[in-house]
Amino acid sequence: MDDRERLTIDEVRDLAARVLVRHGLAPAHAEACADVMAIGERDGGGSHGIFRLLMCMNSIRAGKVALDAEPVVEDVAPGLVRVDAGGAFAPLAFRRGLPVLARKAREAGVAAMAVTNCCHFAALFPEVEAIAREGLVGFAFTPSHAWVAPAGGSRPLLGTNPVAFGWPRPGGDPFVFDFATSAAARGEIELHRREGTPTPPGWGVDAAGSPTTDAAAIMAGAMLPFGGHKGSALSLMVELIAGPLVGDMTSVESLAFDAGAKGAPRGGELLLAIDPARLLGDAAPAHLARAEAVFDAVVSQGARLPSLRRYAARRRAEREGVLVPRKLLDEVRAMLD
Ligand code: NDP
Ligand code: PYC
């Protein structure tokens, strides 16, 4: 028997929004949060679909997130916008800031957006994809909780600290990649723990610092960066540019703020947008076409171009809906009681 249930994307969004509103989240926040969960489910599910509701509910139940704060958008400088989320979840703050970021990038050629005082529970790809759909090159970074040991260490210090990139493709869906700087996102390890399955090797160490594939032991020990010292350095970069640089928490500080609630990381996010048309003028189309040749060369040798799997999953989900584990749906529906 298939232990999954088929839902439409709208049903996923509606269910998540109803749960969040039922637990006191203001409708505008609930809608923005539910939308990113539905997008995660639509594009491949797993750890950053409706599963995120569990983390959000932990934040809400522990009083770690503002339920109705209105994001405050501040025009800091020609190339800088700051959005103070007021302690609320990040998606609404991003939505409010995006038009300003895009306008500034077109005016100045490059612009940065600092989202501060937010609880970030989501995947970053919807944000860089939205920037790329504005015709801009987008980057996004956010720290998380201190779950990851630096390369060569064995004690948690760094967050899972995702890095995401979006590139506009004329006439097509943007090129997007988005991954944790740890060997896998924390959410993926949580899924292994829930299913009682071993993780692939290299994801983490136990509390004694020994390599293990036991998800619960990794969660009690430390996760590892991807690519050894290289992922570790990228993760440190994210700590800096989306922590102190935007005046917000590091992953260590976020975990201390959480105080065992198992809620969403609390802190900041840095987004960058560059306008190819401003940088290259009339030559922009020719140079974007050269980028297409690079993408073609990846695909033509049978290699996987990041984002193509995502768009294929999206088209399928729009036609057929998505399959969500019944056990997870039972947990989510129980939150409506
Ligand atoms: P993955 O290791 O699955 O990597 C995902 C990215 O790599 C996608 O862009 C994917 O493209 C691409 N990719 C995967 N496999 C291949 C392959 N074989 N060849 C080419 N490209 C490939 O994801 P993670 O576990 O690292 O992260 C999952 C999510 O967790 C991310 O969305 C991230 O934003 C989120 N996250 C959020 C955090 C937060 O604090 N908010 C913290 C940490 C993670 P495609 O999409 O086409 O599959
Ligand atoms: O999976 O590492 C993760 C994560 C942290 C916050 C949201 N997702």
Side-chain angles (χ1 to χ4, degrees), residues 48 120 122-124 144 160 162 177-180 185 304 306-307 309-310:
H48 285 74
H120 210 302
L124 295 186
S144 65
T160 43
F177 70 74
D178 168 25
F179 47 71
R304 178 171 149 191
S307 68
R309 177 213 59 82
R310 182 185 305 292

Side-chain angles (χ1 to χ4, degrees), residues 45-318:
S47 63
H48 285 74
I50 197 167
F51 181 60
R52 285 294 103 193
L53 208 43
L54 307 189
M55 177 181 256
C56 290
M57 286 298 297
N58 290 339
S59 294
I60 292 173
R61 288 184 169 129
K64 297 286 180 189
V65 62
L67 300 178
D68 59 359
E70 183 56 33
V72 176
V73 180
E74 187 189 349
D75 190 335
V76 180
L80 275 181
V81 53
R82 180 163 44 227
V83 187
D84 185 337
F89 290 123
L92 190 62
F94 173 77
R95 275 191 189 182
R96 295 285 157 80
L98 176 62
V100 185
L101 175 70
R103 175 175 53 76
K104 283 177 171 293
R106 288 198 187 92
E107 285 168 4
V110 57
M113 177 160 82
V115 179
T116 61
N117 285 323
C118 70
C119 295
H120 210 302
F121 64 85
L124 295 186
F125 73 83
E127 301 181 353
V128 290
E129 185 181 332
I131 294 171
R133 287 195 187 279
E134 296 279 342
L136 306 167
V137 177
F139 302 79
F141 314 91
T142 187
S144 65
H145 287 318
W147 290 314
V148 183
S154 59
R155 288 195 303 278
L157 171 73
L158 306 168
T160 43
N161 298 1
V163 170
F165 175 75
W167 176 274
R169 300 186 66 182
D173 291 318
F175 167 73
V176 167
F177 70 74
D178 168 25
F179 47 71
T181 47
S182 41
R186 181 74 164 189
E188 297 297 324
I189 295 187
E190 283 169 9
L191 291 178
H192 279 282
R193 186 185 54 76
R194 283 166 67 89
E195 299 300 321
T197 51
T199 70
W203 282 19
V205 294
D206 64 19
S210 303
T212 180
T213 57
D214 179 328
I218 295 173
M219 291 175 76
M223 298 168 67
L224 292 175
F226 84 84
H229 63 283
K230 300 179 185 180
S232 194
L234 275 178
S235 185
L236 266 170
M237 177 194 77
V238 175
E239 290 287 332
L240 299 175
I241 64 175
L245 184 65
V246 299
D248 219 314
M249 291 192 197
T250 62
S251 295
V252 165
E253 291 163 345
S254 170
L255 194 61
F257 172 86
D258 187 64
K262 299 190 183 339
R266 166 72 184 251
E269 180 179 3
L270 181 72
L271 298 116
L272 303 174
I274 302 174
D275 184 3
R278 189 79 174 159
L279 193 60
L280 297 164
D282 292 345
H287 291 296
L288 288 177
R290 291 175 52 242
E292 290 303 306
V294 177
F295 296 140
D296 290 346
V298 172
V299 175
S300 68
Q301 61 175 280
R304 178 171 149 191
L305 187 68
S307 68
L308 295 188
R309 177 213 59 82
R310 182 185 305 292
Y311 295 126
R314 183 177 303 183
R315 307 270 126 78
R316 197 165 49 246
E318 283 163 353

